[in-house]
Each structure stands twice: as C-alpha cells, then as structure tokens.
Amino acid sequence: KDVTGAIELQIDALHPWGAEEVVWGWSRASQDGILVGIAPRKLLDSWEALFSEAGVLTAAVTFSAAATHSAVRIWTAAPASLLCYRAGDSGRIEVYGESESRGVYSAEFSFSLDRTLALAAGELRLDANEAIPFAHALPAPHAGSQAVSPLAYAAALAGSSQRLVDFINL
C-alpha cells in the first residue's frame, strides 16, 4: 500500500552506483507492477544546469521505459506483447518490450541488432522476428508534423495527455 516507503527501504540495493547519491521516482505500470527510475544525482544536476544556462526551466524528468510505457497506451489499451528497438546516439541499441512473462523490459546493448534482439526476445519469451522499430510502436503523429526523435515524441505524448486507459479503468 505504501509503494514509496517500500522503494525507499530498498533503493540502495536497486542501483549499481554504490554509495553515490541517487535520485529516483516511480510510476504504476499495471495493477500490481511499478516502474522505478534511478539516476546518479550528479547526472541529473548536470542536466538541470545545462537547461538552466539555456534559460529552460526543468519541471520534471522521465526515463525512456516510463515514457514508452505511457506513450504506447495513450489512445489504446496495453499491447498483448511488444518488442521494439532504436539505435541510440552512442551507437548502442536500446530495446523496450512487454510480454506475459515480463511486464516491462528495457535495456541497452552494444551488440549487433540481431544479438540484441535475440537477448531481449529471450528475456521476454517472444520471437525476435516480431521486433519493430521504436517509432512504429508509437501512435502515428498528425499529418504535417515535424519529424522529431521517436523518444522525444514518446516523452511528449506521455507528459501531455491523459491516457485513454485511465478512463477505461474508472
């Protein structure tokens, strides 16, 4: 019943940064599942400083799994299963997936696309051949919209509107 308190008791065991100070947040992923995002405080502070120097106020931050989880549900119910991927700026491949065996799976690999999808599909108990590019997992943008990064689009969707699923579950 007290998700925040339960996470606080375990936060030090949930991240790989040792004694380094971290910041964290959580959101509900399903009736009995949550997503927890954790980052080193110095990383968040550096991003806030960059935005501040550019004159942009920071109201909130998110992480790719939480943004994706919300964005794929913005106008429809949860998919039965999903495995999508995108090439990151560093040349690494980010994967996001959902399946009956794993509510949410998010990871980044420096392997080939085939190897990355095989690892993610194995974890999700899905067929790697059914993986789709990240942009195809999101609702189609309005005609004439400017092209933006799919991850930025997912974050904008997740933060800008009430999910249809919230209304269905009322």
Side-chain angles (χ1 to χ4, degrees), residues 1 16 26 29 45 48 55-56 60 75 86 92 99 106 124 128 151:
K1 291 183 180 182
W26 69 275
D45 288 347
E48 286 178 332
V56 177
W75 291 304
R86 73 175 192 88
R92 296 168 58 95
S99 70
S106 177
L124 290 160
L151 192 52

Side-chain angles (χ1 to χ4, degrees), residues 44-130:
L44 182 60
D45 288 347
S46 70
W47 280 102
E48 286 178 332
L50 285 171
F51 282 115
S52 179
E53 290 169 11
V56 177
L57 298 176
T58 305
V61 296
T62 190
F63 53 101
S64 61
T68 304
H69 187 270
S70 292
V72 298
R73 290 164 170 73
I74 202 83
W75 291 304
T76 61
S81 62
L82 171 68
L83 176 55
C84 58
Y85 60 91
R86 73 175 192 88
D89 298 333
S90 62
R92 296 168 58 95
I93 299 171
E94 182 177 2
V95 290
Y96 174 86
E98 300 178 20
S99 70
E100 192 174 300
S101 69
R102 191 90 186 248
V104 173
Y105 178 77
S106 177
E108 190 177 84
F109 296 97
S110 55
F111 303 127
S112 70
L113 179 60
D114 288 342
R115 177 76 175 130
T116 295
L117 293 178
L119 288 168
E123 190 69 33
L124 290 160
R125 310 286 192 269
L126 296 175
D127 182 351
N129 294 321
E130 295 180 15

Side-chain angles (χ1 to χ4, degrees), residues 124-148:
L124 290 160
R125 310 286 192 269
L126 296 175
D127 182 351
N129 294 321
E130 295 180 15
I132 59 173
F134 184 78
H136 296 178
L138 302 173
H142 290 269
S145 297
Q146 289 185 347
V148 296

